[in-house]
């Protein structure tokens, strides 16, 4: 069978090169079946004459088709269309969207688990969002620019999946002073944020079905990571007064997740007695303690409370820290402190999960810390947040006293607002959204027990005017609810 | 019991504030048991007098101890040491390093699986490493600096875990022109590199024990990700001529991993016939095809071959691309193109696994592409790599002809060197290391069948002098082996 030429033409006014036009047309005809398999194509010379194009143009088109297997050249006998079977799938499905079922069972678990609460764009009362207005953007930006111009191999090539060697050393010094943790630079594993750290530990340190003691109420992001890894969650009950470590219903744990510096959502500090008890429990069960130190740097009266990891001479604690709340959330750089014997395992695991942070950012954070800007920024933020908290508590008493009790806290970036009368916090969230306000319900932090209702209010990212506006909007939301 | 004061003293010449010294000393004494539980502490006034410090200094120390639960204040009766039980774990273990056993079974699988080959610092023949010398660092750096100074909320707050909205739109246009893939911006999921993408799909789209067709030989990084997710790998045999899709030993697949643009390690392009057959197989088994397009942009003669995903009207293909080989490897930004019905699932999954790339880098890559620098750079690199390949092949023939055959290839960033005589490629790698050379053995890409031995040589990152030096070092390694 010989190709009828009239279906082929070129458009000389098109931006598309002519060889590309010929390639595209032939490819389409072959895929559609308009040119059947085993058809003999005209020679490049004859097609070039017919189309009035240069012979090289046709050769370029044929070469591309040849490379992709659309046509075959048989020595001495010309160029033929390859024996291509039409794909059954080559036409669009009539019912799109039927693929949702095609997630794996694990995929379904991951997707349907509790989500780390998402910031709706309007920051408002979203907890854990740092002030960015006074971040030293110009210093940061010039450090970044310098590093990004650098052809230094240590910024271009991964020497270690566990992180930039300089940053790891700097973190190990920093963490010794600020958090009372003694570790070598090697024990520091840098990853793409605290969430990645949680995901990583839950994959490397536990198996599907293992018991994980999870604070109840507790941080959803952690819960999601453990559930995604197949954990069997056991509620470790927490109140404003502390951790119920002697609960007889708790099964022998494989992992124990805690936020000892500033419990999420209550803001409680774990007492030394509880800390020592927890280390004993880990020892008895050969369990790992995952210490999520998400707000550890923010203590407004006195000094930050030393990390649990600092008391842990027997290497039961894996510590998780992050720069998301001390620098900028969108940086996505966090770190783990792991026992020496796990360093190699985590380095390997990171090489497979791809949770390693860009070297450029790691190196720049390193410069930022080493040149003292980090300490200065943190000190300023501590003072600023302390003032903002005092002002915020005052405003809540003035304008929201009818509905909620908000108590000061020495630590953290958010305060718990308890309801004075029975209200469903999800109703409050819905009413707040109508006032253009993003607030977080406390009940979402409960997994398996009857939730307390309330709001977790982040106050750190707003200046005085913004916070007043937000408080008044929340007041309007409560009043809206009252009218219903 | 009352505290004997002589164990407490302050050093006025120390940099450490005095309240901190008092806190540290009392904390240590209590933890060590030198001050027993239930001991009555002196009043702040009396201790201040004894130590000759201000009363506020002692109050600050007591407040911190109180906050951490070391001491208790009983109204009207003073301050007491809390009833702290000494932790059994509070002394270092005599046998450190016994914790390696404490990885989970899954952790062991992850850690002991095949590793993505690691760059030893000396780049040399490491495959897949782009040229960085001619990267437009100054433009890149000024774009980064501008974005990092920006207080634009879209760079500070995550609006979508699936990536920066602008970059997703830009990738969807780019991929349409360059790779023949039609997709909406929403279908683009940005992650921290191709390895993260592989890890993510293997967690979301397959369950433990599922059959994954893995190219044999094939890319180790992919293999690691699938094994880490519990895959049951079935070898999809590949030769220089193509993919053995009709192998009767292949079980019904859940996932099929392929590198159709430039097979790793052979460099073969998948023919249209095989592409259509593969889509049919996926349709028959309701399987997912994972198209790893790691070198798709690099074709030196003719145009890049359109991606398999472009033929896939029935949404069986998840496409993986990366900027690591077209921009800079240490950037850690890659992306997936997923079917519309999986967009939400992937967005949620990324929020839990923490594999999202920093917005700052996403926005800057977006600017870089939109302002035309990406296209220009890519075009320059294509020309440069084509020249380098020709030169490299020539040098191999001149200096290595006795040991290996290296054939030109239209695509990719590395070439396969086959041995002319029976050699073990791991021996060659070891001999090369002695010459200071980093080369990669091909046998490591085999998982379950008898490996072919050879070398996979990356030639893109070295200039003429460097490549000559590397070729001569490899020659020295072969001669060293011959003498043994």
């Amino acid at each position: 069978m010989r190709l009828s030429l009239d279906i082929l033409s070129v458009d000389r006014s098109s931006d598309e090169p002519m060889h590309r036009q010929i390639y595209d047309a032939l490819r389409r005809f072959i895929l559609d079946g308009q040119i059947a398999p085993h058809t003999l194509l005209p020679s490049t010379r004859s097609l070039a004459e017919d189309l009035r194009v240069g012979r090289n143009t046709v050769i370029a088109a044929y070469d591309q088709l040849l490379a992709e297997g659309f046509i075959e050249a048989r020595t001495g006998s010309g160029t033929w269309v390859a024996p291509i079977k039409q794909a059954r799938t080559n036409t669009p499905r009539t019912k799109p969207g039927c693929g949702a079922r095609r997630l794996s069972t694990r995929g379904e678990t991951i997707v349907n688990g509790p989500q780390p609460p998402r910031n709706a764009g309007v920051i408002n009362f979203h907890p854990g969002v740092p002030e960015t207005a006074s971040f030293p953007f110009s210093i940061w930006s010039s450090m970044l620019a310098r590093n990004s111009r650098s052809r230094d191999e240590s910024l271009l090539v991964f020497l270690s999946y566990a992180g930039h060697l300089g940053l790891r050393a700097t973190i190990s010094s920093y963490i010794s002073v600020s958090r009372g943790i003694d570790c070598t630079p090697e024990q520091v594993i840098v990853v793409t944020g605290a969430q990645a750290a949680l995901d990583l530990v839950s994959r490397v340190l536990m198996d599907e079905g293992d018991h994980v003691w999870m604070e109840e109420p507790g941080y959803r992001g952690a819960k999601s990571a453990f559930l995604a890894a197949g954990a069997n969650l056991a509620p470790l009950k927490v109140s404003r007064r502390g951790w119920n470590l002697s609960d007889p219903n708790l099964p022998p744990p494989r992992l124990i997740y805690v936020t000892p510096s500033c419990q999420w959502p209550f803001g409680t500090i774990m007492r030394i007695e509880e800390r020592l008890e927890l280390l004993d429990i880990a020892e008895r069960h050969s369990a790992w303690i995952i210490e999520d130190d998400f707000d550890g740097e923010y203590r407004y009266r006195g000094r930050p409370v030393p990390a649990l990891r600092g008391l842990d001479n027997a290497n039961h604690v894996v510590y998780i820290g992050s720069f998301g709340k001390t620098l900028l959330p969108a940086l996505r750089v966090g770190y783990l402190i792991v026992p020496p014997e796990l360093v190699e395992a985590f380095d390997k695991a990171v090489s497979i999960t791809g949770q390693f942070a860009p070297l450029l950012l790691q190196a720049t954070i390193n410069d930022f810390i080493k040149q003292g800007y980090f300490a200065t920024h943190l000190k300023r933020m501590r003072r600023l947040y302390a003032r903002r908290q005092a002002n915020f508590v005052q405003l809540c008493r003035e304008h929201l006293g009818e509905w909620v009790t908000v108590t000061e806290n020495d630590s953290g970036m958010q305060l718990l607002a308890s309801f004075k009368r029975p209200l469903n916090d999800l109703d409050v969230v819905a009413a707040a959204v109508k006032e253009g306000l993003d607030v977080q319900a406390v009940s979402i932090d409960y997994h398996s027990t009857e939730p307390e209702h309330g709001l977790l209010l982040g106050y750190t990212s707003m200046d005085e005017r913004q916070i007043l506006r937000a408080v008044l909007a929340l007041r309007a939301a409560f009043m809206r609810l009252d009218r219903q």
Side-chain angles (χ1 to χ4, degrees), chain A:
Chain A
M1 203 180 124
R2 205 175 181 290
L3 178 65
S4 149
L5 291 172
D6 52 346
I7 61 170
L8 239 184
S9 69
V10 292
D11 174 2
R12 276 153 220 281
S13 65
S14 162
D15 284 345
E16 195 74 2
M18 285 188 293
H19 68 85
R20 189 73 189 171
Q21 294 184 43
I22 298 169
Y23 159 81
D24 279 339
L26 287 173
R27 180 179 191 275
R28 203 171 49 247
F29 294 148
I30 296 171
L31 277 178
D32 293 352
Q34 288 184 259
I35 306 181
H38 306 293
T39 305
L40 176 66
L41 290 182
S43 71
T44 52
R45 184 183 309 271
S46 111
L47 184 57
E49 277 169 16
D50 284 341
L51 294 173
R52 266 171 283 172
V53 300
R55 192 174 160 212
N56 281 338
T57 302
V58 178
I59 290 178
Y62 275 29
D63 276 353
Q64 183 82 12
L65 292 166
L66 208 59
E68 298 182 30
F70 283 93
I71 60 177
E72 291 172 351
R74 298 181 201 153
T75 326
S77 85
T79 306
W80 303 76
V81 174
I84 295 165
K85 197 174 59 178
Q86 294 309 303
R88 269 166 293 175
T89 54
N90 206 26
T91 44
R93 271 167 201 263
T94 42
K95 301 182 295 177
C98 56
R101 61 172 166 77
R102 295 191 290 168
L103 287 185
S104 63
T105 308
R106 171 168 53 203
E108 295 283 358
T109 309
I110 292 176
V111 166
N112 297 324
Q115 296 299 309
R118 167 167 317 215
N119 196 316
V122 189
I123 296 185
N124 289 327
F125 280 127
H126 202 86
V129 181
E131 155 85 7
T132 51
S134 42
F135 183 77
F137 281 105
S138 63
I139 288 160
W140 168 252
S141 142
S142 67
M143 286 181 168
L144 250 183
R146 206 191 42 239
N147 283 328
S148 65
R149 272 194 310 271
S150 155
R151 290 153 195 274
D152 184 347
E153 200 171 86
S154 75
L155 297 184
L156 295 174
V157 176
F158 274 84
L159 301 175
S160 159
Y161 288 108
H164 181 270
L165 302 177
L167 179 62
R168 291 165 77 191
T170 301
I171 290 175
S172 82
S173 321
Y174 161 72
I175 210 100
S176 156
V177 178
S178 73
R179 314 295 303 114
I181 295 174
D182 284 321
C183 70
T184 65
E186 289 68 38
Q187 287 176 260
V188 180
I189 312 286
V190 183
V191 293
T192 51
Q195 188 65 36
L198 289 165
D199 182 64
L200 194 62
V201 287
S202 64
R203 292 177 72 188
V204 173
L205 299 181
M206 56 152 282
D207 286 311
E208 282 194 26
D210 278 351
H211 287 292
V212 173
W213 289 9
M214 173 70 210
E215 290 181 338
E216 172 87 353
Y219 178 59
R220 288 192 122 193
K223 216 174 291 175
S224 314
F226 297 132
L227 288 174
N232 201 339
L233 294 185
L236 169 57
K237 286 177 197 141
V238 186
S239 72
R240 283 169 184 73
R241 304 195 42 234
W243 282 252
N244 188 358
L245 294 170
S246 54
D247 184 343
N249 296 318
L250 285 166
R254 169 80 193 174
L255 295 187
I256 303 171
Y257 172 84
V258 282
T259 51
S261 302
C262 182
Q263 204 273 332
W264 182 287
F266 289 131
T268 311
I269 295 174
M270 189 182 282
R271 282 168 308 147
I272 184 68
E273 203 184 328
E274 293 167 319
R275 290 173 188 240
L276 296 174
E277 173 64 24
L278 196 57
L279 291 172
D280 263 2
I281 290 171
E283 172 76 11
R284 274 205 303 279
H285 296 289
S286 287
W288 291 106
I289 297 170
I290 312 301
E291 176 179 25
D292 187 350
D293 197 31
F294 66 97
D295 266 356
E297 274 95 352
Y298 292 120
R299 183 145 195 270
Y300 308 116
R301 275 166 287 274
R303 304 266 299 222
V305 175
L308 177 59
R309 166 76 213 182
L311 290 170
D312 169 37
N313 294 311
N315 281 328
H316 286 299
V317 178
V318 171
Y319 172 95
I320 296 178
S322 162
F323 293 107
K325 293 181 180 184
T326 47
L327 293 173
L328 298 169
L331 276 189
R332 312 312 318 166
V333 179
Y335 51 92
L336 300 119
I337 312 290
V338 304
E341 66 267 23
L342 291 189
V343 170
E344 208 195 321
F346 272 86
D347 178 282
K348 284 188 177 177
V350 172
S351 79
I352 290 168
T353 63
Q355 288 159 321
F356 33 94
L359 286 172
L360 174 62
L361 295 183
Q362 293 194 46
T364 307
I365 292 175
N366 187 32
D367 295 345
F368 196 78
I369 299 175
K370 287 185 80 171
Q371 294 177 34
Y373 295 107
F374 181 68
T376 311
H377 180 62
L378 205 52
K379 203 182 276 177
R380 286 182 60 198
M381 289 306 102
R382 264 194 217 114
R383 280 198 300 260
L384 179 71
Y385 295 171
R387 278 203 309 277
R388 285 189 173 173
Q389 194 193 96
N391 172 48
F392 173 60
V393 170
Q394 184 57 36
L395 289 174
C396 287
R397 287 197 186 131
E398 269 173 45
H399 302 287
L400 302 173
E402 203 176 319
W403 300 276
V404 298
T405 311
V406 173
T407 323
E408 286 158 310
N409 193 346
D410 283 354
S411 309
M413 301 169 76
Q414 49 277 321
L415 289 178
L416 186 63
S418 313
F419 295 145
K420 286 188 172 169
R421 34 177 124 154
L423 280 167
N424 184 312
D425 53 14
L426 297 176
D427 293 343
V428 178
V429 168
V433 166
K434 289 191 187 135
E435 302 295 331
L437 195 66
D438 176 11
V439 292
Q440 199 172 108
V442 166
S443 63
I444 65 166
D445 291 324
Y446 288 78
H447 186 65
S448 57
T449 61
E450 189 60 38
E452 175 178 327
H453 285 256
L455 301 174
L456 194 57
L457 302 174
Y459 57 83
T460 49
S461 66
M462 286 181 280
D463 66 23
E464 283 190 22
R465 256 196 323 194
Q466 290 169 318
I467 214 155
L468 176 60
R469 215 170 52 201
V471 165
L472 294 178
L474 186 53
R475 180 185 164 86
F478 279 118
M479 292 173 69
R480 178 192 285 270
L481 269 185
D482 281 353
R483 285 195 305 272
Q484 278 172 6

